[in-house]
Amino acid sequence: MSLALPKVSISVEDSISPRSARSSPSPRSPSKRDRKGVLGYYAYRKETEYVGAPPPADATEYGLKNAMHLTGEADLQAAFRMLDERQEGVLHLDQARDWLMCAGWVLPEDDLDHALTMQVKGGITYLERAKFSLSQLFEVLKYLKQEKRNTSVEELTEAFTKLSDKGDRIR
């Protein structure tokens, strides 16, 4: 007895269709990403304004594109929610530093801490801020973009080489 299996053909469009089209419809309206599918998502990414760190000045010399991807406002909001484990709506200093790293900043921790604890209002500098809201962190991003340059690929390579003692592993 032989068993005949039906022939199934799958097109490229079927394999990249949005999840909502493959599963049963949900009562909520589809998200922007669901409406556009994966290819639409990539187009959306191209349109995204990146608000995070600027790319390293020497990025193009190393064949890197001139943008720090995943640093759009929605991406950084998601990073904030991920780091805000207690769902307080604020991040403590170490979490805020991690958030700046999520935003693409590759600077020594002292520089990041300085940017976080430095708030200038009316000529008065406020130090040692304990907690940071998302809006305050976006202000820190603006400050960093105006006052600092991101670490270059060459500087980062040198730092990793130092950490590895010129070996193949970081110790």
Side-chain angles (χ1 to χ4, degrees):
M1 179 166 126
S2 68
L3 197 56
L5 297 174
K7 291 185 178 181
V8 177
S9 70
I10 298 175
S11 69
V12 172
E13 289 81 20
D14 292 336
S15 65
I16 60 172
S17 64
R19 182 179 300 172
S20 61
R22 292 190 302 255
S23 61
S24 62
S26 67
R28 66 174 178 81
S29 65
S31 69
K32 194 174 194 179
R33 180 178 176 199
D34 289 342
R35 285 194 304 268
K36 293 183 175 186
V38 173
L39 295 178
Y41 176 74
Y42 288 120
Y44 163 75
R45 277 278 164 223
K46 285 182 181 177
E47 298 168 2
T48 300
E49 180 185 348
Y50 299 107
V51 295
D58 61 349
T60 53
E61 295 173 29
Y62 291 90
L64 303 171
K65 294 186 179 174
N66 202 16
M68 295 291 273
H69 295 284
L70 298 177
T71 61
E73 195 170 320
D75 302 310
L76 296 176
Q77 287 173 351
F80 185 91
R81 287 190 307 270
M82 176 192 70
L83 291 166
D84 184 15
E85 295 169 345
R86 295 181 186 154
Q87 298 184 356
E88 299 173 313
V90 293
L91 299 180
H92 297 275
L93 183 62
D94 57 335
Q95 295 168 315
R97 186 187 316 122
D98 291 344
W99 186 85
L100 290 174
M101 291 177 192
C102 289
W105 283 101
V106 183
L107 294 172
E109 287 185 358
D110 291 343
D111 290 352
L112 294 175
D113 289 349
H114 181 311
L116 285 164
T117 57
M118 194 70 158
Q119 291 287 66
V120 179
K121 294 189 179 188
I124 301 170
T125 303
Y126 298 96
L127 297 175
E128 299 305 319
R129 185 176 217 60
K131 297 179 182 180
F132 303 87
S133 68
L134 183 61
S135 61
Q136 289 169 327
L137 289 172
F138 277 116
E139 290 300 316
V140 171
L141 280 182
K142 287 179 189 174
Y143 165 79
L144 281 170
K145 278 183 149 180
Q146 292 172 354
E147 301 296 325
K148 295 279 185 187
R149 69 171 184 78
N150 212 352
T151 301
S152 69
V153 174
E154 186 174 324
E155 291 168 326
L156 189 58
T157 303
E158 287 174 20
F160 280 133
T161 303
K162 260 187 205 176
L163 283 172
S164 68
D165 290 330
K166 300 192 186 214
D168 61 347
R169 291 179 183 243
I170 295 177
R171 299 184 201 312

